[in-house]
Every structure is written in structure tokens, then in C-alpha cells.
Amino acid sequence: MDYRVSVVIPNYNGMDYYKPCLSSMRAQSRTPDRIIVVDNGSLDGSADAIGRDFPEADLIRLAENTGFCGAVNTGIKASWDCDYVILLNNDTEADTHFVEEMLRGIAGKKDVFSCQAKMLKMDAPDLCDDAGDYYCSLGWAFARGRGKPESAYAKPVSLFSSCAGAAIYNMEILREIGLFDENHFAYLEDTDIGWRARICGYRNVFLPEARVLHVGSASTGSVYNDFKVRNTSRNSIYLVYKNMPTVQIILNLPLLVPGFLIKAAFFTAKGFGREYIGGIRKGFVLCGKGKKEGKKVSFKKKNIVNYIRIQFELWANCPRRLVN
């Protein structure tokens, strides 16, 4: 079967990055059926440049910055006629066989929701930037393999979730579980959607043969900044509320509380304590908004085995944080 696949690339002030990213799409061994660039109200002229230099890409211009979630949801909705959608950050450069390998990993596998590529550091391609995302009972999401030799991550493995910076998703399952939650705006939205899929019994998988080079933090400008710290801490609270039934939240509190306290101390030492604590407060406000909007995942008895599997994984991922 000849599956249809689109590539959705969100862009926000990406003048310095769009050419390598989109040029790598031109060079693919398996040409995407559609390339969709969603511009998030850029002010640096990058949208005009993309329209001029890459006319084969469908350029969707949004009037304002809707965040990563708003942009990719727009692109996904424009791809409803496709079987699979690849989300790709604009600060990446994909290997020639990237699309081919992504399709090979997911096509026809009805139990697989998403697959993630091996993301390598642009300035040190022998090192991993992200070889799959995990989440643990401390309330921490973390990237597997960051800063470690890429050769150590050569086998496909199951993941908690896929990093949406270079991942492929099954469109049929997206229709079932819903798109990215735009309440997140940016950060942890991919953990959320991968978690929701896991609750329904689907898998997320790491594909080591699909490779991309990644600059990292291109839109926000640095590894730690006010915006990123505030949004990440806010979304960390929302993530727990959304995906854990009340009894599971209570079960995990003995680890969640010290986990958040450790993070607060860490960011305070980095000079971002106020932003982190402020984000936590906003997280509880966001939970109230999510409750009104019906965003909390409804507990269903048929998924009890999946909840149990996830819980044991949350515990196992605590020590894994130290070695991965």
C-alpha cells in the first residue's frame, strides 16, 4: 500500500534556519506527499523568504503566534487526507532517508501511535540531542541520550512519548484521541499526547535509522530563559492533572512533591526561581481552565491495565533519569 505522508514544519522567526531544513526535504529519497510550513506570525521576513525560495511547500500564514501546538494543529488539519504526518522543527536538517525510515517504522502498524527520529546535535553530530522522551513519578520529563555518543543508541526501543521536533504520527489515532492540547502553547505538549495514546493502549517507538541534526532552542533563544521555565513548570502541573486519575495523583504525591521542590531549587540556583514558582501557580489555574473545557482524560475501566503499566514505568523511569 502506498501510504500518504505530510511533513508539517512550524516556523517562528526562523530566517536563520529555514534553508537547511527545507533543502533537506527536497533531497529526500522518499518525497513527502505534502510539505506544509505553518508560520506563527513571524516578524523577521522568514515567511516571505520561504514562499519565495520553496514554492513547492504549502505556506500557511497565521496572524499571531499561536505557539507550537496551534501551529502544528493547523498543519495536521491541513493534512487530513494523509495517513501519517511528520512534525519537524524548523531548526533541523534531515538525513536523505529520513522520511523513508520514518514511514518504514510506522506504516501499517496499527498499535503504534508515533515514532521518533534520532536527533543529533547540529554542532556535534556524534552526540545525541534526543533519542526519545521519558517521564517519571518525580514529575520530570527528560530526553534519553542527551549529550551522549549517538552510537550507544542504535536499537529501536519503546518510549514514553516521542519528541515532536522530529516525529511521525498515525492520523487515524490522532482522530481518535484528539490533537495537541493548545492550552500547553509550547513545551510538554508531546509528552501529553504520547501519554494519552499510551492510556488507550498504543505505543511510541524510537527509530535510530531516521536521523536529523538539531540546533535546539531556536525559537526561544537559549536553554534556560523566562518563557521556557515559566511555561514548562506551568505545563508540568497541567500534565499531571490531565493524565492521572485522582487516585494515581495521590499514589505519586510522595515523589511528585520532592520532584517539584528539587526543580524549584535548581531553577532558583540558575536565577529563574521566580519564573518557576510563578509557572507552578499558573499551572493550577490552567487545571481549572482544563476542567471547564473537559480536557482531563476520562478514566475508563477498559484501560486499567494500561494505567498499571504506565505507573510501573513512571517508577522505573526515576532511576533511568540518572543513566539515560
Side-chain angles (χ1 to χ4, degrees):
M1 181 176 178
D2 187 19
Y3 296 99
R4 289 179 55 80
V5 60
S6 67
V7 177
V8 172
I9 303 169
N11 177 69
Y12 179 65
N13 293 339
M15 184 64 80
D16 293 336
Y17 306 105
Y18 78 91
K19 281 187 178 179
C21 179
L22 285 163
S23 294
S24 72
M25 287 298 99
R26 277 180 173 169
Q28 290 298 301
S29 58
R30 200 293 193 184
T31 304
D33 296 279
R34 294 189 68 188
I35 299 173
I36 301 171
V37 178
V38 183
D39 184 74
N40 241 338
S42 293
L43 302 174
D44 65 345
S46 55
D48 290 337
I50 290 167
R52 179 189 68 237
D53 296 338
F54 295 92
E56 70 271 27
D58 296 331
L59 178 61
I60 301 175
R61 297 174 185 252
L62 302 181
E64 59 184 5
N65 186 358
T66 62
F68 179 85
C69 298
V72 298
N73 280 350
T74 298
I76 292 169
K77 291 172 185 176
S79 306
W80 279 135
D81 60 330
C82 293
D83 302 292
Y84 301 98
V85 59
I86 293 173
L87 303 185
L88 187 65
N89 279 2
N90 67 339
D91 61 340
T92 60
E93 186 174 348
D95 177 79
T96 303
H97 301 286
F98 168 73
V99 172
E100 179 183 349
E101 292 294 339
M102 293 291 261
L103 270 176
R104 192 194 311 277
I106 198 171
K109 299 175 182 175
K110 294 186 178 296
D111 66 327
V112 177
F113 169 58
S114 73
C115 293
Q116 182 193 322
K118 182 188 287 188
M119 302 178 75
L120 307 171
K121 291 182 177 293
M122 185 72 76
D123 59 354
D126 59 329
L127 300 178
C128 278
D129 186 58
D130 192 318
D133 287 356
Y134 288 136
Y135 184 78
C136 70
S137 287
L138 291 163
W140 301 349
F142 57 96
R144 174 174 172 261
R146 179 158 294 166
K148 297 186 178 181
E150 67 94 7
S151 57
Y153 301 87
K155 295 181 180 180
V157 296
S158 292
L159 303 170
F160 189 86
S161 60
S162 296
C163 173
I168 187 169
Y169 295 87
N170 183 316
M171 292 288 274
E172 184 176 345
I173 299 174
L174 278 171
R175 295 186 187 98
E176 175 188 343
I177 70 171
L179 302 185
F180 288 83
D181 184 349
E182 295 185 22
N183 281 340
H184 282 94
F185 191 81
Y187 302 115
L188 297 178
E189 69 289 319
D190 43 11
T191 304
D192 170 63
I193 202 167
W195 195 340
R196 282 189 273 140
R198 293 287 308 281
I199 290 171
C200 293
Y202 298 109
R203 296 190 297 131
N204 303 299
V205 179
F206 170 63
L207 301 178
E209 298 303 318
R211 302 157 67 90
V212 299
L213 299 175
H214 183 222
V215 175
S217 301
S219 295
T220 57
S222 61
V223 176
Y224 301 121
N225 56 68
D226 292 356
F227 173 81
K228 186 173 183 178
V229 171
R230 191 182 304 114
N231 269 38
T232 301
S233 63
R234 181 196 68 171
N235 293 345
S236 293
I237 296 293
Y238 184 53
L239 187 69
V240 170
Y241 161 78
K242 237 191 108 171
N243 293 288
M244 287 188 185
T246 302
V247 66
Q248 191 177 19
I249 294 175
I250 294 171
L251 177 65
N252 284 282
L253 274 179
L255 287 173
L256 286 171
V257 172
F260 281 107
L261 289 175
I262 291 169
K263 285 280 190 177
F266 172 83
F267 283 112
T268 297
K270 293 285 185 181
F272 295 101
R274 180 176 296 180
E275 288 73 20
Y276 184 83
I277 298 301
I280 294 293
R281 288 197 295 266
K282 290 183 178 180
F284 285 104
V285 174
L286 188 58
C287 291
K289 180 175 184 287
K291 182 179 181 179
K292 290 179 182 178
E293 296 173 346
K295 296 286 189 178
K296 187 172 177 67
V297 177
S298 298
F299 175 78
K300 297 178 181 177
K301 289 183 179 179
K302 68 177 183 178
N303 293 328
I304 186 66
V305 173
N306 300 328
Y307 277 107
I308 293 171
R309 286 174 179 161
I310 290 169
Q311 182 56 53
F312 278 101
E313 189 173 332
L314 295 179
W315 284 327
N317 284 346
C318 291
R320 179 178 278 163
R321 173 65 181 87
L322 301 175
V323 298
N324 279 276

